[in-house]
Amino acid sequence: MVELEINEQMQIRKQKLDELKAMGIDPFGFRVDRTHTSCQITDDFAGLEGKSVVVAGRVMSIREHGKACFADLADLDGSIQIYIRQDAVGEEQFAAFHLWDIGDIVAVSGEVFRTHRGEISVKALSLTFLTKSLRPLPEKWHGLKDVELRYRQRYVDLIVNPEVKKTFILRSKIIAAIRRYLDGLGFLEVETPTLHTIAGGASARPFVTHHNTLDMQLYMRIALELPLKRLIVGGMEKVYELGRVFRNEGISIKHNPEFTMLELYEAYGDYHGMMELTENLVSSISQEVLGTQLINYQGTEINLQAPWRRITMLDAIKEYSSVDFNTIKTDEEARQVADEHHIHVDKDADRGHIINAFFEEKVEENLIQPTFVMDYPIEISPLTKQKVDDCSMTYRFEAFVYGRELGNAYSELNDPIDQRTRFEAQMAERAKGNEEANETDEDFLRALEYGMPPTGGLGIGIDRLVMFLTDAASIRDVILFPTMRPR
């Protein structure tokens, strides 16, 4: 029934298109040199009152009152009211105005004034038709039963929902602010390949593709890490990349198969330096873009101001589950404790993976305020330098906000002999069926053999950061075109 109504409206619009052509008006016009946006007019009304302007945008409403009519024109900044009279625009243009529909794109030349009701408006002196909208906009967009339609047709979502447009404008400002911050610290932005011969740098399932000319299998990158650390070896001491990564995994309010990652590496640093950089970066971006370091996410006030809380993974598990893994030294003991606390792990799981399972089950959801969880098991940290005082743990942290991981950082492993041993352990896991385990990257090992200085590395999920700073409930709300199954 709805589709039938839309088809009928489209037929009416096509008839109007033909009428415009009959009047000698091109329904799909050309360039217009507009002088002002809607916000520029409203913000500087005192300076523009009575002066000529040219505005352009999409018609969002039409109100006719005999020979005097009103229309609301929306542009990127907002909207402006247009006042149209036949005696001002002429009989022909006024007749063309009656062929306007909501959704059409037009330009208006006129004078800035304030109506008797006090609304800042533009009195039209000339109308230029730019684009005929053949498909009607939904009248009750948020009332549609198919809630995923907003993501499938983002172009319509942006037209009818100003808050959505605001979110993506903020996203752009956040990314620009990140670049300014890192550039100011002397970091160099670089670009590394999206197609990899080995899926490395993270524990994730890759997308697989094939290069016809070289007749070889390639992977869409799951992380930026290994190419960037090669650059550290080469003497580029402070580098970062903002880029898309791809993981062939599930979809949820926190996950999309392709997402944007920031990774940065600093020679002669460590994970303590990365903690300071992380908290200062996030709090500074929030202050610059939002004007505050106190944000409200999904009804919860979160204080992003540095310094953030620091706690080791083992202390966090002890705090939230009363289990002290400092006293649990063997895999068998760890499996027994997991069974007692109903933590599901593989029957041959080692202590490190069980510690991580405890953390995910008992701790993560409690980390609402920004928290650095430090010192992760070596079994789940194959690219991280091991701790001097406890060889079962590594110099690694993850940053959590609202119970969700925001960032991951290491004191990078720069010992090629140790790194080969870690890769071998990962390959053993792959042989047991762990498809997310790292593969051995011989070229990366070769790079390490030339010598990589002590290095601090950091990865931050940009989409999750934008979620927090825009109060978005789902990652789909901050990705313009999220991955979806075709209808």
Side-chain angles (χ1 to χ4, degrees):
M1 191 69 179
V2 174
E3 193 62 34
L4 179 61
E5 182 181 341
I6 290 175
N7 289 336
E8 290 176 351
Q9 291 185 48
M10 290 182 68
Q11 287 301 319
I12 294 172
R13 288 175 178 239
K14 288 178 180 178
Q15 291 173 12
K16 290 183 179 181
L17 180 146
D18 292 335
E19 292 180 52
L20 286 168
K21 289 181 177 179
M23 296 175 66
I25 298 173
D26 188 343
F28 301 101
F30 298 92
R31 167 178 170 162
V32 167
D33 293 320
R34 64 178 177 179
T35 62
H36 296 80
T37 65
S38 58
C39 277
Q40 287 172 339
I41 293 172
T42 54
D43 291 346
D44 188 27
F45 174 73
L48 291 173
E49 184 176 13
K51 294 184 179 179
S52 297
V53 296
V54 178
V55 294
R58 190 180 294 272
V59 179
M60 297 306 292
S61 69
I62 299 172
R63 303 176 296 282
E64 299 190 34
H65 302 282
K67 293 185 178 181
C69 305
F70 294 90
D72 290 320
L73 219 60
D75 58 20
L76 179 64
D77 291 344
S79 65
I80 189 76
Q81 179 173 270
I82 308 300
Y83 175 61
I84 305 163
R85 288 183 57 91
Q86 179 173 321
D87 57 4
V89 300
E91 187 174 335
E92 182 177 341
Q93 289 195 10
F94 196 69
F97 163 74
H98 286 287
L99 299 175
W100 286 13
D101 284 302
I102 293 175
D104 290 349
I105 301 172
V106 301
V108 176
S109 175
E111 294 179 356
V112 177
F113 80 111
R114 192 188 294 273
T115 66
H116 294 303
R117 293 186 177 182
E119 186 167 355
I120 296 172
S121 307
V122 174
K123 179 181 180 181
L125 301 176
S126 176
L127 307 176
T128 303
F129 205 90
L130 298 177
T131 304
K132 186 65 184 173
S133 173
L134 298 180
R135 185 176 291 271
L137 295 174
E139 295 180 7
K140 297 179 180 179
W141 186 247
H142 292 289
L144 294 177
K145 293 181 180 179
D146 185 356
V147 295
E148 292 191 340
L149 192 58
R150 288 181 49 235
Y151 306 132
R152 294 182 184 278
Q153 299 180 14
R154 182 68 83 187
Y155 40 89
V156 181
D157 193 23
L158 290 167
I159 293 170
V160 302
N161 190 344
E163 288 302 309
V164 171
K165 189 181 296 182
K166 179 181 177 183
T167 292
F168 287 104
I169 291 172
L170 279 173
R171 179 188 173 106
S172 181
K173 290 180 178 179
I174 290 166
I175 292 174
I178 289 171
R179 284 193 165 101
R180 280 194 298 273
Y181 187 89
L182 295 176
D183 292 347
L185 293 178
F187 281 85
L188 181 70
E189 183 174 10
V190 298
E191 294 176 313
T192 62
T194 300
L195 295 174
H196 290 182
T197 55
I198 292 175
S203 298
R205 295 177 61 184
F207 287 93
V208 183
T209 187
H210 184 83
H211 191 283
N212 293 331
T213 301
L214 297 178
D215 189 24
M216 62 185 293
Q217 181 171 279
L218 292 170
Y219 303 94
M220 302 294 288
R221 65 184 178 189
I222 59 174
L224 314 175
E225 179 167 347
L226 300 187
L228 290 176
K229 288 202 283 194
R230 286 174 170 92
L231 298 181
I232 295 293
V233 171
M236 301 178 73
E237 296 180 355
K238 298 172 76 171
V239 294
Y240 76 93
E241 182 171 7
L242 274 160
R244 277 291 218 239
V245 295
F246 308 86
R247 298 183 181 179
N248 197 353
E249 299 171 346
I251 295 176
S252 72
I253 62 170
K254 298 183 290 183
H255 299 92
N256 192 67
E258 60 173 311
F259 57 98
T260 302
M261 178 73 76
L262 164 69
E263 287 201 32
L264 61 88
Y265 294 85
E266 182 175 10
Y268 311 109
D270 65 2
Y271 80 148
H272 290 292
M274 293 298 104
M275 281 185 232
E276 293 178 10
L277 194 154
T278 301
E279 62 192 4
N280 290 330
L281 169 66
V282 173
S283 59
S284 296
I285 298 309
S286 180
Q287 185 66 48
E288 178 178 341
V289 176
L290 303 179
T292 180
Q293 296 177 24
L294 289 174
I295 65 171
N296 188 291
Y297 185 71
Q298 302 298 293
T300 299
E301 185 175 84
I302 295 174
N303 186 356
L304 298 175
Q305 186 174 1
W308 295 0
R309 182 193 184 198
R310 289 155 166 76
I311 187 171
T312 67
M313 177 178 271
L314 297 190
D315 285 345
I317 292 172
K318 184 177 180 181
E319 178 177 331
Y320 292 104
S321 73
S322 299
V323 175
D324 187 0
F325 274 94
N326 287 301
T327 65
I328 301 168
K329 298 299 184 180
T330 68
D331 295 343
E332 185 178 350
E333 288 177 305
R335 287 193 287 268
Q336 181 178 343
V337 172
D339 185 58
E340 292 171 357
H341 287 78
H342 308 291
I343 303 294
H344 175 73
V345 295
D346 293 338
K347 62 179 181 179
D348 58 347
D350 55 47
R351 176 175 176 270
H353 283 88
I354 293 170
I355 288 172
N356 189 56
F358 256 91
F359 175 77
E360 292 178 348
E361 182 75 22
K362 299 293 186 180
V363 180
E364 278 192 9
E365 65 181 9
N366 299 294
L367 304 177
I368 302 303
Q369 296 302 318
T371 302
F372 292 122
V373 177
M374 308 159 53
D375 304 348
Y376 278 51
I378 195 169
E379 293 89 345
I380 62 170
S381 311
L383 298 165
T384 313
K385 190 183 287 287
Q386 70 183 42
K387 297 198 69 180
V388 173
D389 58 349
D390 184 355
C391 62
S392 70
M393 309 301 281
T394 63
Y395 294 110
R396 173 185 173 187
F397 76 77
E398 287 185 326
F400 286 87
V401 178
Y402 198 74
R404 299 173 184 174
E405 178 199 342
L406 176 64
N408 185 22
Y410 315 149
S411 292
E412 303 294 338
L413 178 56
N414 61 340
D415 177 347
I417 299 172
D418 189 1
Q419 184 64 80
R420 181 176 292 279
T421 301
R422 305 279 192 94
F423 278 149
E424 290 171 352
Q426 287 287 295
M427 292 299 289
E429 283 197 35
R430 289 183 71 87
K432 293 179 181 179
N434 182 358
E435 297 181 9
E436 296 185 355
N438 285 233
E439 295 184 56
T440 300
D441 188 330
E442 289 291 348
D443 183 73
F444 178 63
L445 290 170
R446 182 184 301 112
L448 291 184
E449 287 170 351
Y450 280 100
M452 185 176 82
T455 297
L458 167 67
I460 292 178
I462 295 300
D463 307 289
R464 289 193 185 174
L465 176 60
V466 175
M467 285 175 66
F468 290 131
L469 296 183
T470 61
D471 193 21
S474 170
I475 196 170
R476 292 182 176 187
D477 294 326
V478 299
I479 296 177
L480 279 168
F481 301 104
T483 305
M484 303 186 72
R485 189 191 304 274
R487 299 192 70 173

